[in-house]
Amino acid sequence: MPTFDLKDVDVRELNQALHDEASAGAEFKIINPNGKHSVAVGAMYSTQIDIEGHVGYYCAGMNQQATVTVHGNAGSGCAENMTSGQVRVKGNASQYCGATAHGGLLVVEGDTAARCGISMKGVDIVIGGSVGNMSAFMAQSGHLVICGDAGEALGDSMYEARIYVGGEVASLGADCIEKPIKSEHEAELKELLGQAGIDAGDISRFRRYGSARKLYNFNIDHAGEY
Amino acid sequence: MCGIVGLFIKNPKMEAELGKYLSLMLAEMTDRGPDSAGAAIYHDPVAVGAAKVTVLSEDPEYRWDALTQELQQAFGQDAAVAVHRDQAVLKIGTNPADAQRWLQDNHPELRINSAGESIEIFKGKGSPIEFIKNFELASYSGSHALGHTRMATESAITTEHSHPFSTGLDLCLVHNGSLSNHNRLREVLRKRGLTFQTDNDSEVAAGYLAWRLHEGDTLDQALQNALRDLDGFYTFAIGSKDGFAVLVDPIGCKPAVMAETEDWAAMSSEFRAIATLPGVDQAKIWEPTPAKIYSWHQE
């Protein structure tokens, strides 16, 4: 298993190795990340990447196929714009984790700061703890599961993503409404939690939120105002 | 973008290493603020009733010995000076408010960085690494310190525009962010008798806090009022004689990480500065909740 000690090796060198086709199937261990930025960005092949410690900004950004585990906390922009694969943060994640991500699975076992899943475009995000304000802002598609509480303005101006919250919601953003949980949603929630390996206990407490679709659809009744 | 660091020593055995760790943290924040740097160090307090004033002179030939003699004559008390490049720490056997006023009235050519019993503020234009070397920051012992690396967005790059800014006796502010209502607020504060040395937005925040504290607010009350009256993005760290406080704006635009062990408490714009501290593997680490005031004080 290749080990990269970021005390000695440049982040660029590590990331270059992850962009190499020969990395497919390999397992990487990264030690002493010490809050460095852009660790394991742009991994392109099916690899297993374990990061032992806390990382800085943009960890596992643009991830494709790789399974990245941060055994610590992640700074801002973790897993932003990822397209596939899985990113797991064992601790907490800072602001805008999973921003604009198109696919794959992002799991944060702890809490996240503000704007979790901002402009998400198809990624599935499962948060074991709570999220900060403005989470799922302008979310377009994908799923955001929050086992704990959500901060203010959840789902503001969102499009077609689905949000499930197990705890309290401080407030909903513009055009975000609660929607009923049907059996298909229960099954979907169970599957998402199962994939994430998060035991959320009794899932009957979860509520579902989505777009009221009043903000982004052209409304014929208002035609005279344009 | 700017970088902020703060370190509060809980274990007295670590006080000798305050400067060393402050330097390591500040150097790590160089990328966030390569234009200039500054630090406020709380250490070696003078006796109660005496004053410690840090001043800056633009004149490289400044006659610090003559100033010391003048101070001795003016107050009939001992006075001492320790010169650090273009800045100097004056110790005077009179109370800090009188010492500060006398210097303002009689030596308008000097910029007053700080005044109080234990605070010393140094700042310098240019690379933070150079600043750390030039002011031998690593050699300082003390109870707590704040540091700042600046990437200017709102006003000029000069030593005077650099942080920390004094907000009163033994008080100072470092700021990462930008304020949008600073011009109007500066005018309001000028009408209330405050003076400003620069057109910097952070100096207005410092002036605002100084004014609130002068009006009788506690530090917590002053910060609560700041949440209402300051418009913009900020992470503030506010140093006082016995500790420091941290406040992030209600939207949470600017980063901050806090950490604590049995030996120390620290804050920084990014974790990588905190990663330089001993025992960080065992530290409790968290991000401050927006609009919530955090503070550490000596018992």
Side-chain angles (χ1 to χ4, degrees):
Chain A
M1 180 193 296
T3 297
F4 286 79
D5 186 343
L6 293 186
K7 258 190 183 154
D8 307 323
V9 180
D10 199 61
V11 171
R12 201 174 282 271
E13 197 177 315
L14 160 71
N15 290 345
Q16 193 60 53
L18 300 176
H19 302 171
D20 186 348
E21 199 172 349
S23 69
E27 291 179 15
F28 291 85
K29 188 172 175 183
I30 297 160
I31 59 172
N32 293 315
N34 291 344
K36 285 200 166 69
H37 295 178
S38 307
V39 175
V41 160
M44 292 167 67
Y45 301 97
S46 176
T47 52
Q48 174 83 39
I49 302 164
D50 281 280
I51 305 167
E52 305 290 340
H54 309 304
V55 291
Y57 294 3
Y58 315 125
C59 177
M62 298 181 282
N63 186 56
Q64 291 182 57
Q65 298 189 58
T67 299
V68 182
T69 306
V70 179
H71 299 267
N73 302 323
S76 300
C78 178
E80 64 159 10
N81 215 22
M82 83 162 161
T83 52
S84 61
Q86 193 191 113
V87 176
R88 179 180 296 272
V89 179
K90 306 285 277 186
N92 301 323
S94 186
Q95 300 194 11
Y96 47 92
C97 64
T100 74
H102 290 254
L105 174 66
L106 166 64
V107 182
V108 178
E109 295 187 4
D111 302 326
T112 85
R115 294 173 278 277
C116 170
I118 181 172
S119 197
M120 53 193 276
K121 293 179 171 70
V123 66
D124 291 331
I125 304 176
V126 180
I127 309 296
S130 299
V131 300
N133 55 317
M134 298 292 283
S135 288
F137 176 53
M138 294 188 80
Q140 286 146 58
S141 70
H143 302 90
L144 173 60
V145 178
I146 302 154
C147 297
D149 303 331
E152 287 186 37
L154 176 71
D156 191 285
S157 309
M158 66 181 291
Y159 296 81
E160 290 305 301
R162 278 184 188 166
I163 306 175
Y164 295 97
V165 184
E168 299 289 322
V169 175
S171 67
L172 293 175
D175 208 36
C176 181
I177 54 167
E178 186 175 348
K179 297 183 171 185
I181 291 213
K182 297 177 191 158
S183 58
E184 74 216 56
H185 303 119
E186 241 173 46
E188 180 176 77
L189 177 58
K190 244 182 220 166
E191 194 186 328
L192 286 162
L193 288 165
Q195 280 171 5
I198 298 267
D199 179 7
D202 178 13
I203 63 162
S204 66
R205 72 178 196 282
F206 276 81
R207 290 162 170 242
R208 180 168 74 100
Y209 302 90
S211 173
R213 302 189 177 106
K214 295 220 161 129
L215 208 52
Y216 70 88
N217 277 331
F218 179 73
N219 188 333
I220 194 67
D221 295 337
H222 299 156
E225 294 173 18
Y226 297 105
Chain B
M1 191 157 71
C2 293
I4 298 180
V5 302
L7 180 60
F8 177 84
I9 303 294
K10 292 162 74 179
N11 177 355
K13 284 181 193 156
M14 250 189 86
E15 286 192 358
E17 295 180 310
L18 177 75
K20 174 185 157 187
Y21 288 112
L22 174 71
S23 302
L24 288 171
M25 293 177 80
L26 204 56
E28 199 60 46
M29 288 295 94
T30 298
D31 296 352
R32 294 188 65 92
D35 298 343
S36 40
I41 305 163
Y42 292 82
H43 81 128
D44 188 22
V46 293
V48 176
K52 196 199 255 189
V53 184
T54 314
V55 293
L56 183 156
S57 167
E58 282 166 13
D59 176 7
E61 307 292 320
Y62 197 81
R63 292 285 310 279
W64 294 107
D65 50 344
L67 176 69
T68 317
Q69 280 174 12
E70 238 186 285
L71 281 163
Q72 278 166 351
Q73 279 163 12
F75 293 103
Q77 300 280 350
D78 281 349
V81 64
V83 181
H84 307 270
R85 298 179 77 90
D86 57 347
Q87 290 156 61
V89 179
L90 305 166
K91 289 182 183 173
I92 311 152
T94 188
N95 75 71
D98 286 352
Q100 188 176 9
R101 203 171 308 117
W102 186 89
L103 285 162
Q104 275 164 347
D105 293 345
N106 295 283
H107 287 277
E109 78 282 6
L110 294 172
R111 302 267 194 177
I112 297 177
N113 287 359
S114 66
E117 287 175 4
S118 67
I119 191 172
E120 293 178 19
I121 290 181
F122 302 109
K123 38 179 101 173
K125 185 177 142 179
S127 152
I129 304 286
E130 288 299 309
F131 168 77
I132 290 164
K133 263 193 230 152
N134 290 342
F135 287 87
E136 296 175 36
L137 222 56
S139 67
Y140 282 83
S141 62
S143 52
H144 56 293
L146 295 178
H148 187 270
T149 61
R150 179 163 186 249
M151 187 182 284
T153 56
E154 296 290 306
S155 52
I157 301 168
T158 72
T159 297
E160 290 81 359
H161 281 80
S162 308
H163 303 225
F165 289 104
S166 172
T167 58
L169 299 178
D170 278 316
L171 290 165
C172 71
L173 171 80
V174 291
H175 171 211
N176 168 208
S178 58
L179 301 177
S180 13
N181 63 339
H182 64 102
N183 281 328
R184 174 66 63 85
L185 195 55
R186 189 183 294 108
E187 291 315 308
V188 171
L189 292 170
R190 275 195 175 129
K191 282 183 190 146
R192 296 180 190 277
L194 277 91
T195 55
F196 293 92
Q197 297 186 352
T198 71
D199 57 348
N200 182 287
D201 59 331
S202 311
E203 192 188 5
V204 174
Y208 176 85
L209 292 174
W211 168 63
R212 287 310 321 159
L213 293 163
H214 185 259
E215 293 292 303
D217 279 7
T218 63
L219 186 53
D220 271 21
Q221 285 166 338
L223 290 173
Q224 286 295 347
N225 285 317
L227 280 166
R228 184 193 61 211
D229 290 340
L230 299 181
D231 184 12
F233 306 138
Y234 48 85
T235 294
F236 289 140
I238 303 99
S240 64
K241 195 159 73 180
D242 51 15
F244 69 78
V246 176
L247 176 65
V248 175
D249 71 75
I251 298 172
C253 278
K254 288 295 167 184
V257 181
M258 325 243 271
E260 189 165 11
T261 68
E262 285 185 0
D263 292 335
W264 48 260
M267 75 80 57
S268 178
S269 301
E270 293 181 31
F271 173 74
R272 58 191 165 127
I274 292 170
T276 61
L277 297 176
V280 68
D281 293 344
Q282 273 74 51
K284 179 189 165 205
I285 300 164
W286 74 101
E287 285 195 341
T289 302
K292 183 175 166 185
I293 299 162
Y294 296 81
S295 58
W296 286 281
H297 297 285
Q298 278 154 356
E299 299 291 315

